[in-house]
């Protein structure tokens, strides 16, 4: 069974800090999605990656296929980054397998 | 483009009542999904569709039915609502199977 584990569950940071959220996944998953859920509930897809690294603004996502591990980094964090970040494993043949999310709070 | 829209945004039902949630997308996406989100559980897939006229079961399909008569619409039905179906329901769509998913704003359903 495909599985995805996220850490930490909760994270509090001071504004400006560099943030890392981790995601480990099981054999069979070939791509990783990172999603952001705003405090109001809306869900936005941030990245989908199957190798290497992707960057969008202050957000960077990396994936290590050999170690079955992905990280989401936020540089120069800001209170507006406060949200729940969710990783999801994609095996290609079956629907996404979601982690339980990391709740991030960035304090000014 | 409106993206993915969901109707209604909120609903309160009594046990045993029925209702239909509507999801619509204007991006010509083939794949559509219905998820539920409960505290501490993360997103769980209820049903999905890989194209017009097709549906398939996800992780938690019991108590729900779906239909995809038109490519742009994906309906989720509750025939006899139960308190265990109190949740936030999200619809999503994607062009391909292994692809970015676009989510609707969610429907908060309470079953008393």
């Amino acid at each position: 069974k495909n599985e995805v584990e996220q850490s930490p569950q909760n994270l509090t940071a001071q504004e400006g800090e560099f943030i890392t959220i981790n995601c480990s996944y099981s054999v069979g998953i070939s791509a990783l999605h990172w999603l952001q859920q705003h405090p109001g509930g809306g869900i936005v897809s941030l990245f989908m990656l199957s190798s290497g690294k992707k960057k969008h603004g202050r957000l960077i996502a990396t994936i290590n296929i050999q170690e079955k591990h992905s990280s989401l980094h936020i540089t120069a964090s800001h209170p507006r980054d406060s949200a729940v970040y969710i990783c999801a494993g994609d095996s290609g043949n079956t629907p996404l397998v979601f982690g339980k999310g990391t709740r991030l709070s960035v304090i000014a | 483009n409106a993206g993915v829209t969901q109707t209604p945004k909120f609903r309160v039902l009594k046990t045993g009542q029925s209702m239909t949630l509507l999801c619509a997308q204007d991006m010509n996406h083939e794949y559509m999904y219905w998820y539920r989100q409960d505290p501490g559980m993360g997103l769980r897939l209820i049903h999905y569709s890989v194209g017009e006229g097709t549906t398939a079961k996800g992780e938690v399909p019991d108590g729900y039915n779906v239909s995809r008569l038109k490519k742009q619409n994906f309906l989720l039905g509750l025939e006899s609502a139960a308190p265990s179906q109190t949740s936030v329901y999200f619809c999503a769509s994607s062009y391909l199977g292994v692809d970015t998913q676009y989510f609707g704003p969610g429907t908060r359903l309470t079953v008393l």
Side-chain angles (χ1 to χ4, degrees):
Chain A
K1 181 182 175 185
N2 292 333
E3 291 182 338
V4 171
E5 295 282 341
Q6 273 186 253
S7 63
Q9 271 189 297
N10 296 284
L11 182 57
T12 300
Q14 293 290 326
E15 183 174 358
E17 283 186 7
F18 181 85
I19 290 164
T20 297
I21 299 170
N22 296 300
C23 182
S24 297
Y25 57 91
S26 62
V27 173
I29 288 172
S30 57
L32 238 291
H33 298 250
W34 282 101
L35 311 170
Q36 179 192 54
Q37 186 166 26
H38 300 293
I43 299 174
V44 175
S45 291
L46 298 174
F47 298 103
M48 185 185 76
L49 66 167
S50 55
S51 65
K53 179 168 84 171
K54 288 191 176 181
K55 185 175 188 286
H56 181 71
R58 295 180 294 106
L59 300 176
I60 303 166
T62 64
I63 189 168
N64 184 317
I65 296 168
Q66 285 73 29
E67 294 186 4
K68 299 182 186 53
H69 181 269
S70 178
S71 293
L72 177 68
H73 306 287
I74 305 174
T75 62
S77 60
H78 190 276
R80 64 175 175 267
D81 297 324
S82 297
V84 176
Y85 293 85
I86 303 167
C87 71
D90 196 333
S91 65
N93 295 325
T94 57
L96 298 182
V97 177
F98 291 88
K100 293 187 178 179
T102 295
R103 186 175 298 275
L104 171 66
S105 297
V106 181
I107 301 169
Chain B
N1 288 351
V4 180
T5 58
Q6 290 182 232
T7 309
K9 289 187 169 52
F10 303 93
R11 186 72 186 268
V12 178
L13 291 178
K14 294 181 179 177
T15 297
Q17 286 185 317
S18 64
M19 77 164 294
T20 300
L21 282 67
L22 170 64
C23 176
Q25 52 92 6
D26 61 1
M27 296 175 282
N28 201 34
H29 285 172
E30 293 293 336
Y31 290 70
M32 296 187 74
Y33 313 85
W34 275 108
Y35 297 99
R36 61 178 289 173
Q37 186 178 43
D38 303 295
M41 298 293 293
L43 287 159
R44 291 184 293 170
L45 182 67
I46 305 170
H47 285 281
Y48 64 103
S49 168
V50 300
E52 181 179 318
T54 74
T55 62
K57 293 180 180 180
E59 182 184 355
V60 288
D62 294 342
Y64 306 94
N65 56 75
V66 287
S67 65
R68 183 107 180 262
L69 298 179
K70 292 183 179 180
K71 186 177 184 178
Q72 63 267 34
N73 295 338
F74 195 29
L75 279 63
L76 178 71
L78 286 73
E79 289 187 351
S80 179
S84 61
Q85 294 177 304
T86 293
S87 188
V88 180
Y89 291 85
F90 287 96
C91 176
S93 70
S94 64
Y95 187 63
L96 300 171
V98 181
D99 200 359
T100 298
Q101 292 191 14
Y102 295 83
F103 285 79
T107 295
R108 186 172 295 274
L109 175 66
T110 301
V111 183
L112 302 175

